[in-house]
Amino acid sequence: MTPAYYLFLSAILFTIGVLGFLLRRNAIVVFMCVELMLNSVNLSLVTFARMNGTLDGQIMAFFVMVVAAAEVVVGLAIIVSIFRTRRSASVDDANLLKY
Amino acid sequence: MKPALAYAAADGTFAATWLLLAFPAVGAAILLLGGRRANRWGPVLACLAAGAAFVLGLVLFAAMLGRAGDDRAISQHLFSWIPVNGFQVDAGLLLDPLSMCFVLLVTGVGTLIHIYALGYMAHDPNRRRFFGYLNLFVVAMLLLVLGNNFLALYVGWEGVGLASYLLIGFWSARPSAATAAKKAFIVNRVGDVGLSIAIMLMFATLGTTSYAGVLGGIGALGANSGTVTAIALLLLLGACGKSAQFPLQSWLLDAMEGPTPVSALIHAATMVTAGVYLIARSAPIFNLTSDGRLLVTIVGAVTLAIGAIIGCAYDDIKKVLASSTMSQIGYMFLAVGLGPAAYAIGILHLLTHGFFKATMFLGAGSVMHGMNDTVDMRRYGGLRTVMPITFWTFAMGYLAIIGFPGWAGFFSKDKIIEAAFDKGGTSGWVLGTVALIGAGVTAFYMTRLMIMTFFGERRWDPDAHPHESPAVMTGPMIVLALGSVISGFALTFGGGLQQFLEPVVGRSAEEGIHTISPTVLTLITLLVVAGGAAAAYRQYGTQAVPRTAPQAVSPVTVAARRNLYGDAVNESLLMRPGQYLTRALVFVDGRGVDGVVNGLAAGIGGSSGRLRHAQTGFVRSYALSMFGGAALVLAVLLLGRLG
Amino acid sequence: MTPTDIPAPSIAYGPLWPMIAVFLAAAIGVLVEAFVPARRRRPVHLVVALAGLTGGLVAVALVARNHHHPTLIAERAVAVDGPTLFIQGTLLLLGIAAVLLLGERSLDSTGGTFVAAAAVVPGSRGERQLTASSTMQTEVFPLAMFALGGMLLFPASNNLLLMFVALEILSLPLYLLAGLARRRRLLSQEAAVKYFLLGAFSSAFFLYGIAMLYGYAGSVDLGAIFTATGTVGSNDTLLYLGIALLSVGLLFKIGAAPFQNWTPDVYQGSPTPVTALMASGTKVAAFGALLRVFYVAFGPVRWDWRPLMWGVAILTMGVGAVLAITQTDVKRMLAYSSIAHAGFILTGVVALNRSGLSGSLFYLLAYGFSTLGAFAIVTLVRDADGEATHLSQWRGLGRRSPALAGIFALFLLAFAGIPLTSGFTSKFAVFSAAISSGATGLVVVGLIASAVAAFFYVRVIVLMFFEAPAPDGPTIAVPSVLTYGAIALAFAVTVVLGVIPGPLFTLADKAALFVR
């Protein structure tokens, strides 16, 4: 099995993440789609590490995980606070700022 | 003349040239930013700042006289403004005999008027702001005359425009003052556009805006070439706007809404003469284009006639003086338009005019001060005895402006008439005749003003209690009156000013080739002047002056009272077509975006109004546009790779 | 493999001190939050933050003096060269002004610009009690310091992984700060959620781009990518995918079209001092990173990405200038103006020569201060509901407060690029650089966009000075010395760079060389 298949899988996962971001309304789900995009990148990084025969890509995957975790903390704080205000987690409801 | 324009470096005493600007600049900054703390001592500080600049000006003048004629132009490099990509614009100052004249006039007369304003504005709650603006004006005016390139001149040009705008509208509670300020601002914009395009044109053809580069290099373009004429005409447009010359003259009358010291300083002695400075400074350009020079003389002659005629009709003392200013600046334009022969005479008239017109404006201010700010001369009369100092100083200014032998105007105005006749040919005769008749009309309206104000019966309002002004006001008036008496003689004594200015504007014509012998012409001029004065005496001195202006008057008077329809002309030439154009454009736009006057702006505004609805406020639609953008970026890169 | 087999990286700590100082101050800020009693926190935070930033500034000066040769330190991850130091100096100065604005609390009768307690639900009784008290969420100081630290690191990264980490360090605190306004909390929270979701979305693209470039070059070192682009035979598709995706992330941060959508909403909703920090600091840092990536790593393939940047610059200038015209909110108008300015700076990036780089650096500094000053003035115009940002409320402001309106007008004139303000000199620098590199068409578009933009700046000036004030118009709050200091700094920079830009031009020109 050639490593390239993993790259295709990663691209497909990334696209699913993008589509989820565009199509889903619930802020938590939207946010999880971003996480999916980040993790699909991790898959790419690890695959490239394998293809290039270096360890860098795998180390980078760890960095990305840590950053993603920090992002979760900040993101959940913001989403929870707006949920408590509006009693709704729909991103379409946050629509006061426009034009 | 030297082959190319080279300026000496500023060393020794001249290293202090920049301080001329710094003194009033610091004054303006302290007054305008100092807040209420500066209320008490601010005005005095402003006077000191102007005075310090004047003293420094005198020191520099003395130092300049100590140098040989050709070394008197001193250039001081301040800093490089924009040094990028091998392109360089330097900011620097140029102190030569021409700018020296202006420095002394602006700081000298400026200081006196600052002192006068201490008394005149004593009871105004906002006088700190007023003096701050005055200092600001002095800075801008000095920058205008001291810059060593056209860009610096332009900055000063806009600066004096701004100061003038602020000062005309100083009593902004009066709607008329606010309107007048706006009008002055807008009319001046028309002229400024001309000036700015002229500077761009210089830069485009010569690659520089410095005097050394432009005035030294303009000769390479050839005499009467299209570019040179275009630059000259655009400069003239700029000069017309600032100096209230035909067809941009109408703002000056309205500008009289400003406090009287402002009228004296800005709208009589200094700022309005900036146009004359511009033309004299650009002498090498105008020397190359006979069409340009001819147009300058025509503008000057037309304006001097218009100003003189309007001056006969107004009853408002300040407006009479304003139209007289217009008319006198017309004389200056006429002089500088005559070419190398008469630049120095134009500047001479500018200087003497600075003295006598300032004297008369301050006198008018003193009269108004005593008469509860009434400006209608039909409510004056017989003030000679109650305001003796004002009367006598004003009389000095009067004798100077009509050109009474021995007084300042006699030396400058008569010379202009003479130079106009000397031009020769039909144009010389026409210009000379207009200038000669103008002198007669000047005598008429100035005599009318004198008689209606200081002589005859007292037609005062019941609550008027005229009194002489305090010493702080009469002092400057006396000094200026002295100037009106002697400045003409002093400046021409032994060809003084002529020779002083020669390195800048070139040598005057040889003596001896005259159309009419000077003696004869002087006699004719005096006769015409005497005739004008006598006519005014017969009209206003021998019969009672009605307290309200008579309505059954000749059409000429009606026209003159309406400013010779100057506003109407402006309206139909500039405003109406603009309005029709915008209306047409709005009509074309169809959807008619409200309140947007400019067609192009309407187009952009309309698309803006539609486009902004793309900003829906939904996160997901933003993300979609980002995703689309990302896809586009990718497509461009990859397709560019294939193609 | 024993642990000794792994060689410890050698790190020259000296040139890192500008960043260390700021991060240290941020960490101390966290400790202050834990150990200092609530009522004394604000002044202590202010001192710590200002000390950190001043220390950073001193460090930048020392590094600039002692390191004449640009170097790559920390295993080539951090570049210490002219652009790094210039941008770090700019950011630290902007940071000082921004921290002064954050610390202001005498504007609102109830104190501060920031929410009393972010966790309390808006509109609840608890919130009303808290708002009446003078408490505030003092975590804003360490958050801002972390963001500033990230900004310092972002343009200095010579390694894409480090750049990604720096991007997140600068972004995450800003997401939080955006949601902490004291008044109009719904708008503020909405701004935070939008900024966060779209920011996370864009950084995922950025990261995917890194992965592609890693696959292409086998390394994320900018120098290694440069070497790889010079050799034939590698898989080009990966390179172009990488460039495209990386650009998305960077263009998002600078607010270039078509990735500009978030800017107006977030700028309008965030607390104004935070907006000031975002509009100046983030833009400077992101442009620094963009310049480094494109000049250092993608230089050899410039003919492929230059048309793209052309298009983006034109679109950005157009969108910013045209959409700003119909805005009715001051903060939103300034946001669109910042979009237009991103387009103007991009013309300097497209020039891709030394004068383009120095012009962009100059522009960033000049624009950073003007925009910070403009937002600082927005904080002062207030009515009973907080800041009065609707343009109709600014009518006749020049009559009420000539000095304030005059300074604001100066900033607007600087945005419009009128001579004798910093805006003119900086536009002149980038445009002349673009012309010298042959991008005349781009400059023509830039000039047209400037003319359109000048229209709405002048419109605001006319509104302030030539129209009668509304009877129930806003009042001008009297700030403490903090806001005065920030405005004075911005004002001074705007004027001085307009009148005497020479020295800074020389400095920017000397700094304009990337290390590879």
Side-chain angles (χ1 to χ4, degrees), chain B residues 79 81-82 84-85 87 155 165 604-605 608 611-612 615 617 619 622 625-626 629-630 634 637-638 641, chain C residues 194 236 240-241 244 258-259 261 264-265 304 322-323 325-326 355 420 424 428 432 466 498-499 501:
Chain B
F79 53 82
W81 187 35
I82 305 179
V84 265
N85 293 346
F87 167 88
V155 173
Y165 165 77
I604 295 172
S608 171
L611 270 178
R612 67 190 283 219
Q615 185 84 7
V619 173
Y622 296 174
S625 92
M626 279 172 60
L634 199 58
L637 274 177
L638 290 178
R641 188 66 191 160
Chain C
K194 281 180 173 170
D236 278 357
Y240 293 108
L241 271 171
F259 312 105
N261 276 332
D265 290 6
D304 296 312
V322 169
L323 280 176
I325 287 180
T326 41
S355 58
L420 289 184
F424 173 77
F428 187 90
S432 65
F466 293 94
V499 181

Short mmCIF file of all heavy atoms in Angstrom, two decimals, chain B residues 79 81-82 84-85 87 155 165 604-605 608 611-612 615 617 619 622 625-626 629-630 634 637-638 641, chain C residues 194 236 240-241 244 258-259 261 264-265 304 322-323 325-326 355 420 424 428 432 466 498-499 501:
data_model
loop_
_atom_site.label_atom_id
_atom_site.label_comp_id
_atom_site.label_asym_id
_atom_site.label_seq_id
_atom_site.Cartn_x
_atom_site.Cartn_y
_atom_site.Cartn_z
N PHE B 79 16.07 69.75 5.87
CA PHE B 79 16.16 68.29 5.93
C PHE B 79 15.65 67.72 4.62
O PHE B 79 14.98 68.41 3.85
CB PHE B 79 15.38 67.70 7.10
CG PHE B 79 13.95 68.15 7.15
CD1 PHE B 79 12.98 67.54 6.37
CD2 PHE B 79 13.57 69.20 7.98
CE1 PHE B 79 11.67 67.95 6.42
CE2 PHE B 79 12.26 69.61 8.03
CZ PHE B 79 11.32 68.99 7.24
N TRP B 81 13.12 65.69 2.73
CA TRP B 81 11.76 65.30 3.10
C TRP B 81 11.50 63.87 2.69
O TRP B 81 11.17 63.01 3.51
CB TRP B 81 10.75 66.26 2.47
CG TRP B 81 9.38 66.02 2.95
CD1 TRP B 81 9.00 65.63 4.21
CD2 TRP B 81 8.20 66.12 2.19
NE1 TRP B 81 7.65 65.52 4.27
CE2 TRP B 81 7.12 65.80 3.05
CE3 TRP B 81 7.93 66.45 0.87
CZ2 TRP B 81 5.80 65.80 2.62
CZ3 TRP B 81 6.61 66.46 0.46
CH2 TRP B 81 5.57 66.15 1.33
N ILE B 82 11.63 63.58 1.41
CA ILE B 82 11.35 62.22 0.96
C ILE B 82 12.56 61.70 0.20
O ILE B 82 12.72 61.96 -0.98
CB ILE B 82 10.14 62.18 0.02
CG1 ILE B 82 8.94 62.81 0.69
CG2 ILE B 82 9.82 60.75 -0.37
CD1 ILE B 82 7.73 62.83 -0.20
N VAL B 84 13.58 58.64 -1.24
CA VAL B 84 13.40 57.24 -1.62
C VAL B 84 13.71 57.04 -3.09
O VAL B 84 13.40 57.88 -3.93
CB VAL B 84 11.95 56.74 -1.39
CG1 VAL B 84 11.83 56.07 -0.07
CG2 VAL B 84 10.96 57.84 -1.55
N ASN B 85 14.29 55.89 -3.37
CA ASN B 85 14.53 55.47 -4.75
C ASN B 85 15.22 56.53 -5.59
O ASN B 85 14.84 56.79 -6.72
CB ASN B 85 13.18 55.13 -5.43
CG ASN B 85 12.57 53.91 -4.80
OD1 ASN B 85 13.26 53.20 -4.07
ND2 ASN B 85 11.31 53.67 -5.07
N PHE B 87 14.94 59.47 -5.61
CA PHE B 87 14.11 60.67 -5.75
C PHE B 87 14.25 61.45 -4.46
O PHE B 87 14.28 60.88 -3.38
CB PHE B 87 12.66 60.24 -5.95
CG PHE B 87 11.67 61.34 -5.82
CD1 PHE B 87 11.32 62.11 -6.90
CD2 PHE B 87 11.07 61.60 -4.60
CE1 PHE B 87 10.40 63.12 -6.77
CE2 PHE B 87 10.15 62.61 -4.48
CZ PHE B 87 9.81 63.36 -5.57
N VAL B 155 2.67 74.66 0.59
CA VAL B 155 2.26 74.38 1.97
C VAL B 155 1.91 75.68 2.69
O VAL B 155 0.87 75.79 3.35
CB VAL B 155 3.38 73.63 2.71
CG1 VAL B 155 3.03 73.48 4.19
CG2 VAL B 155 3.61 72.27 2.09
N TYR B 165 -9.25 81.32 6.70
CA TYR B 165 -10.57 80.72 6.91
C TYR B 165 -10.96 80.76 8.38
O TYR B 165 -12.08 81.14 8.75
CB TYR B 165 -10.54 79.28 6.40
CG TYR B 165 -11.70 78.43 6.86
CD1 TYR B 165 -12.94 78.55 6.27
CD2 TYR B 165 -11.54 77.54 7.91
CE1 TYR B 165 -14.01 77.81 6.70
CE2 TYR B 165 -12.60 76.78 8.35
CZ TYR B 165 -13.84 76.92 7.74
OH TYR B 165 -14.88 76.17 8.19
N ILE B 604 -20.16 54.83 -7.26
CA ILE B 604 -19.42 54.02 -6.29
C ILE B 604 -20.27 53.79 -5.05
O ILE B 604 -20.34 52.69 -4.52
CB ILE B 604 -18.10 54.71 -5.93
CG1 ILE B 604 -17.21 54.79 -7.15
CG2 ILE B 604 -17.40 53.97 -4.82
CD1 ILE B 604 -15.98 55.62 -6.96
N GLY B 605 -20.93 54.88 -4.62
CA GLY B 605 -21.78 54.75 -3.43
C GLY B 605 -22.86 53.71 -3.64
O GLY B 605 -23.16 52.91 -2.77
N SER B 608 -21.43 50.39 -3.57
CA SER B 608 -21.06 50.11 -2.18
C SER B 608 -22.28 49.68 -1.39
O SER B 608 -22.25 48.70 -0.64
CB SER B 608 -20.44 51.36 -1.58
OG SER B 608 -20.27 51.20 -0.21
N LEU B 611 -23.08 46.21 -2.44
CA LEU B 611 -22.07 45.22 -2.06
C LEU B 611 -22.08 44.91 -0.57
O LEU B 611 -21.81 43.80 -0.16
CB LEU B 611 -20.68 45.72 -2.44
CG LEU B 611 -20.17 45.37 -3.83
CD1 LEU B 611 -18.81 45.99 -4.04
CD2 LEU B 611 -20.07 43.86 -3.96
N ARG B 612 -22.40 45.95 0.22
CA ARG B 612 -22.26 45.72 1.65
C ARG B 612 -23.26 44.68 2.14
O ARG B 612 -23.09 44.12 3.21
CB ARG B 612 -22.40 47.03 2.43
CG ARG B 612 -23.75 47.65 2.38
CD ARG B 612 -23.70 49.04 2.95
NE ARG B 612 -23.64 49.00 4.41
CZ ARG B 612 -24.29 49.87 5.19
NH1 ARG B 612 -25.00 50.82 4.66
NH2 ARG B 612 -24.22 49.78 6.49
N GLN B 615 -22.08 41.31 3.07
CA GLN B 615 -21.57 41.11 4.44
C GLN B 615 -22.79 40.75 5.30
O GLN B 615 -23.35 41.57 6.00
CB GLN B 615 -20.92 42.41 4.91
CG GLN B 615 -20.25 42.33 6.25
CD GLN B 615 -18.85 41.79 6.13
OE1 GLN B 615 -18.33 41.60 5.05
NE2 GLN B 615 -18.23 41.52 7.26
N GLY B 617 -23.30 38.88 7.92
CA GLY B 617 -23.26 38.69 9.35
C GLY B 617 -23.27 37.23 9.76
O GLY B 617 -23.14 36.91 10.94
N VAL B 619 -21.55 33.67 10.11
CA VAL B 619 -20.20 33.10 10.11
C VAL B 619 -20.03 32.16 8.93
O VAL B 619 -19.00 32.15 8.26
CB VAL B 619 -19.96 32.33 11.42
CG1 VAL B 619 -18.65 31.59 11.36
CG2 VAL B 619 -19.98 33.28 12.59
N TYR B 622 -19.34 33.80 5.69
CA TYR B 622 -17.96 34.29 5.63
C TYR B 622 -17.03 33.15 5.31
O TYR B 622 -16.11 33.27 4.50
CB TYR B 622 -17.54 34.91 6.96
CG TYR B 622 -18.31 36.15 7.37
CD1 TYR B 622 -18.11 36.73 8.60
CD2 TYR B 622 -19.22 36.75 6.51
CE1 TYR B 622 -18.78 37.87 8.99
CE2 TYR B 622 -19.90 37.87 6.88
CZ TYR B 622 -19.70 38.43 8.13
OH TYR B 622 -20.38 39.54 8.51
N SER B 625 -17.08 32.28 1.75
CA SER B 625 -16.32 33.16 0.86
C SER B 625 -14.83 32.93 1.04
O SER B 625 -14.06 33.01 0.08
CB SER B 625 -16.70 34.61 1.09
OG SER B 625 -15.86 35.21 2.03
N MET B 626 -14.43 32.60 2.26
CA MET B 626 -13.01 32.27 2.46
C MET B 626 -12.64 31.01 1.69
O MET B 626 -11.59 30.93 1.05
CB MET B 626 -12.72 32.05 3.95
CG MET B 626 -12.51 33.33 4.73
SD MET B 626 -12.39 32.98 6.48
CE MET B 626 -10.97 31.92 6.53
N GLY B 629 -12.42 31.78 -1.81
CA GLY B 629 -11.18 32.49 -2.06
C GLY B 629 -10.01 31.54 -2.11
O GLY B 629 -9.14 31.65 -2.99
N ALA B 630 -9.99 30.58 -1.16
CA ALA B 630 -8.89 29.62 -1.14
C ALA B 630 -8.86 28.82 -2.43
O ALA B 630 -7.80 28.61 -3.03
CB ALA B 630 -9.03 28.70 0.07
N LEU B 634 -5.83 28.81 -5.20
CA LEU B 634 -5.24 27.55 -5.66
C LEU B 634 -5.34 27.44 -7.18
O LEU B 634 -4.37 27.09 -7.86
CB LEU B 634 -5.98 26.39 -4.99
CG LEU B 634 -5.28 25.06 -4.96
CD1 LEU B 634 -3.96 25.19 -4.27
CD2 LEU B 634 -6.17 24.05 -4.23
N LEU B 637 -2.92 29.73 -8.95
CA LEU B 637 -1.53 29.25 -8.91
C LEU B 637 -1.33 28.05 -9.83
O LEU B 637 -0.36 27.99 -10.58
CB LEU B 637 -1.16 28.87 -7.48
CG LEU B 637 -0.65 30.03 -6.61
CD1 LEU B 637 -0.39 29.55 -5.20
CD2 LEU B 637 0.63 30.60 -7.20
N LEU B 638 -2.23 27.11 -9.75
CA LEU B 638 -2.03 25.89 -10.54
C LEU B 638 -2.26 26.14 -12.02
O LEU B 638 -1.52 25.65 -12.87
CB LEU B 638 -2.96 24.78 -10.04
CG LEU B 638 -2.58 24.25 -8.65
CD1 LEU B 638 -3.55 23.20 -8.19
CD2 LEU B 638 -1.16 23.68 -8.66
N ARG B 641 0.51 27.80 -13.56
CA ARG B 641 1.59 26.86 -13.74
C ARG B 641 1.43 26.11 -15.08
O ARG B 641 2.39 25.90 -15.80
CB ARG B 641 1.54 25.86 -12.58
CG ARG B 641 2.70 24.93 -12.52
CD ARG B 641 3.96 25.71 -12.23
NE ARG B 641 5.11 24.86 -12.43
CZ ARG B 641 6.34 25.31 -12.62
NH1 ARG B 641 6.55 26.61 -12.64
NH2 ARG B 641 7.34 24.48 -12.78
N LYS C 194 -17.21 34.88 16.25
CA LYS C 194 -16.91 34.94 14.82
C LYS C 194 -15.40 34.91 14.59
O LYS C 194 -14.89 34.18 13.72
CB LYS C 194 -17.47 36.23 14.21
CG LYS C 194 -18.96 36.15 13.93
CD LYS C 194 -19.46 37.45 13.32
CE LYS C 194 -20.90 37.32 12.90
NZ LYS C 194 -21.49 38.60 12.52
N ASP C 236 5.97 19.62 -7.95
CA ASP C 236 5.56 21.01 -7.91
C ASP C 236 4.16 21.22 -7.37
O ASP C 236 3.88 22.24 -6.76
CB ASP C 236 5.65 21.62 -9.31
CG ASP C 236 7.06 22.03 -9.63
OD1 ASP C 236 7.90 21.88 -8.72
OD2 ASP C 236 7.31 22.47 -10.75
N TYR C 240 2.77 24.27 -4.93
CA TYR C 240 1.74 25.28 -5.17
C TYR C 240 0.56 25.12 -4.23
O TYR C 240 -0.01 26.12 -3.78
CB TYR C 240 1.32 25.27 -6.64
CG TYR C 240 2.47 25.72 -7.49
CD1 TYR C 240 3.17 24.83 -8.29
CD2 TYR C 240 2.89 27.03 -7.41
CE1 TYR C 240 4.26 25.25 -9.02
CE2 TYR C 240 3.99 27.46 -8.13
CZ TYR C 240 4.67 26.57 -8.94
OH TYR C 240 5.76 27.00 -9.63
N LEU C 241 0.21 23.89 -3.92
CA LEU C 241 -0.81 23.68 -2.88
C LEU C 241 -0.36 24.35 -1.59
O LEU C 241 -1.13 25.05 -0.92
CB LEU C 241 -1.00 22.18 -2.63
CG LEU C 241 -2.02 21.46 -3.49
CD1 LEU C 241 -1.90 19.96 -3.25
CD2 LEU C 241 -3.41 21.94 -3.12
N ALA C 244 -0.50 28.18 -1.79
CA ALA C 244 -1.88 28.67 -1.78
C ALA C 244 -2.48 28.59 -0.38
O ALA C 244 -3.05 29.56 0.13
CB ALA C 244 -2.72 27.86 -2.76
N PRO C 258 -10.10 37.97 -0.66
CA PRO C 258 -11.47 37.74 -0.18
C PRO C 258 -11.54 37.12 1.22
O PRO C 258 -12.50 36.42 1.52
CB PRO C 258 -12.01 36.78 -1.22
CG PRO C 258 -10.81 35.99 -1.66
CD PRO C 258 -9.62 36.86 -1.49
N PHE C 259 -10.53 37.37 2.05
CA PHE C 259 -10.55 36.80 3.41
C PHE C 259 -10.77 37.90 4.44
O PHE C 259 -10.31 37.81 5.58
CB PHE C 259 -9.23 36.08 3.67
CG PHE C 259 -8.83 35.17 2.54
CD1 PHE C 259 -7.83 35.52 1.67
CD2 PHE C 259 -9.51 33.98 2.34
CE1 PHE C 259 -7.50 34.70 0.60
CE2 PHE C 259 -9.17 33.15 1.28
CZ PHE C 259 -8.17 33.51 0.41
N ASN C 261 -13.75 39.24 5.40
CA ASN C 261 -15.10 39.34 5.94
C ASN C 261 -15.18 39.55 7.45
O ASN C 261 -16.05 40.24 7.94
CB ASN C 261 -15.87 38.06 5.62
CG ASN C 261 -16.47 38.13 4.25
OD1 ASN C 261 -16.76 39.22 3.78
ND2 ASN C 261 -16.62 37.00 3.60
N PRO C 264 -14.60 43.78 9.63
CA PRO C 264 -15.53 44.79 10.14
C PRO C 264 -16.33 44.32 11.36
O PRO C 264 -16.48 45.08 12.33
CB PRO C 264 -16.45 45.08 8.96
CG PRO C 264 -16.09 44.16 7.89
CD PRO C 264 -14.85 43.45 8.23
N ASP C 265 -16.80 43.08 11.31
CA ASP C 265 -17.61 42.60 12.43
C ASP C 265 -16.80 42.55 13.72
O ASP C 265 -17.26 42.99 14.78
CB ASP C 265 -18.16 41.20 12.11
CG ASP C 265 -19.22 41.25 11.03
OD1 ASP C 265 -19.41 42.34 10.47
OD2 ASP C 265 -19.84 40.21 10.75
N ASP C 304 5.28 32.89 -10.38
CA ASP C 304 4.03 32.16 -10.24
C ASP C 304 3.07 32.81 -9.25
O ASP C 304 1.87 32.79 -9.44
CB ASP C 304 4.32 30.73 -9.82
CG ASP C 304 5.09 30.00 -10.89
OD1 ASP C 304 4.66 30.07 -12.04
OD2 ASP C 304 6.13 29.39 -10.58
N VAL C 322 -14.37 50.88 -1.48
CA VAL C 322 -15.76 51.05 -1.92
C VAL C 322 -16.73 50.80 -0.77
O VAL C 322 -17.67 51.57 -0.55
CB VAL C 322 -16.04 50.11 -3.11
CG1 VAL C 322 -17.53 50.07 -3.39
CG2 VAL C 322 -15.30 50.58 -4.33
N LEU C 323 -16.47 49.74 -0.01
CA LEU C 323 -17.44 49.42 1.04
C LEU C 323 -17.41 50.43 2.18
O LEU C 323 -18.39 50.61 2.89
CB LEU C 323 -17.20 48.01 1.56
CG LEU C 323 -17.80 46.94 0.65
CD1 LEU C 323 -17.45 45.56 1.15
CD2 LEU C 323 -19.30 47.08 0.58
N ILE C 325 -17.45 53.50 2.01
CA ILE C 325 -18.22 54.71 1.71
C ILE C 325 -19.58 54.73 2.39
O ILE C 325 -20.01 55.74 2.94
CB ILE C 325 -18.39 54.85 0.18
CG1 ILE C 325 -17.07 55.26 -0.42
CG2 ILE C 325 -19.46 55.87 -0.16
CD1 ILE C 325 -17.13 55.42 -1.89
N THR C 326 -20.25 53.59 2.40
CA THR C 326 -21.61 53.60 2.92
C THR C 326 -21.69 53.20 4.39
O THR C 326 -22.78 52.96 4.89
CB THR C 326 -22.50 52.67 2.09
OG1 THR C 326 -21.77 51.49 1.82
CG2 THR C 326 -22.92 53.33 0.80
N SER C 355 13.50 48.26 -1.95
CA SER C 355 12.74 49.46 -1.59
C SER C 355 11.29 49.10 -1.30
O SER C 355 10.63 49.77 -0.50
CB SER C 355 12.83 50.49 -2.71
OG SER C 355 12.34 49.96 -3.91
N LEU C 420 2.43 65.90 4.17
CA LEU C 420 2.79 66.37 5.51
C LEU C 420 2.19 65.50 6.61
O LEU C 420 2.28 65.83 7.78
CB LEU C 420 2.41 67.83 5.75
CG LEU C 420 3.26 68.82 4.99
CD1 LEU C 420 2.88 70.25 5.36
CD2 LEU C 420 4.74 68.60 5.27
N PHE C 424 1.04 60.11 3.63
CA PHE C 424 1.53 60.45 2.30
C PHE C 424 2.88 59.82 2.05
O PHE C 424 3.10 59.16 1.03
CB PHE C 424 1.63 61.97 2.15
CG PHE C 424 2.29 62.40 0.87
CD1 PHE C 424 1.60 62.36 -0.31
CD2 PHE C 424 3.60 62.81 0.87
CE1 PHE C 424 2.20 62.73 -1.50
CE2 PHE C 424 4.22 63.19 -0.31
CZ PHE C 424 3.52 63.14 -1.48
N PHE C 428 3.65 57.01 -0.69
CA PHE C 428 4.64 57.36 -1.71
C PHE C 428 5.72 56.28 -1.77
O PHE C 428 6.12 55.85 -2.86
CB PHE C 428 5.26 58.70 -1.34
CG PHE C 428 6.16 59.25 -2.40
CD1 PHE C 428 5.65 60.06 -3.39
CD2 PHE C 428 7.50 58.94 -2.40
CE1 PHE C 428 6.48 60.56 -4.37
CE2 PHE C 428 8.33 59.43 -3.38
CZ PHE C 428 7.82 60.26 -4.37
N SER C 432 6.08 54.10 -5.12
CA SER C 432 7.26 54.31 -5.97
C SER C 432 8.05 53.01 -6.08
O SER C 432 8.61 52.72 -7.14
CB SER C 432 8.13 55.43 -5.43
OG SER C 432 8.66 55.08 -4.19
N PHE C 466 -18.25 71.03 9.61
CA PHE C 466 -19.10 71.95 8.88
C PHE C 466 -20.59 71.74 9.16
O PHE C 466 -21.41 72.36 8.54
CB PHE C 466 -18.84 71.85 7.38
CG PHE C 466 -17.48 72.33 6.99
CD1 PHE C 466 -16.44 71.44 6.88
CD2 PHE C 466 -17.24 73.66 6.77
CE1 PHE C 466 -15.17 71.88 6.54
CE2 PHE C 466 -15.98 74.11 6.43
CZ PHE C 466 -14.95 73.21 6.31
N GLY C 498 5.43 62.59 8.77
CA GLY C 498 4.98 63.34 7.60
C GLY C 498 5.95 64.46 7.26
O GLY C 498 6.19 64.75 6.11
N VAL C 499 6.51 65.06 8.30
CA VAL C 499 7.34 66.24 8.07
C VAL C 499 8.81 65.85 7.90
O VAL C 499 9.49 66.32 7.00
CB VAL C 499 7.18 67.24 9.23
CG1 VAL C 499 8.03 68.46 8.98
CG2 VAL C 499 5.72 67.66 9.35
N PRO C 501 10.41 62.50 7.52
CA PRO C 501 10.46 61.04 7.46
C PRO C 501 11.86 60.51 7.16
O PRO C 501 12.10 59.31 7.28
CB PRO C 501 9.50 60.69 6.31
CG PRO C 501 9.57 61.88 5.44
CD PRO C 501 9.89 63.08 6.29
#
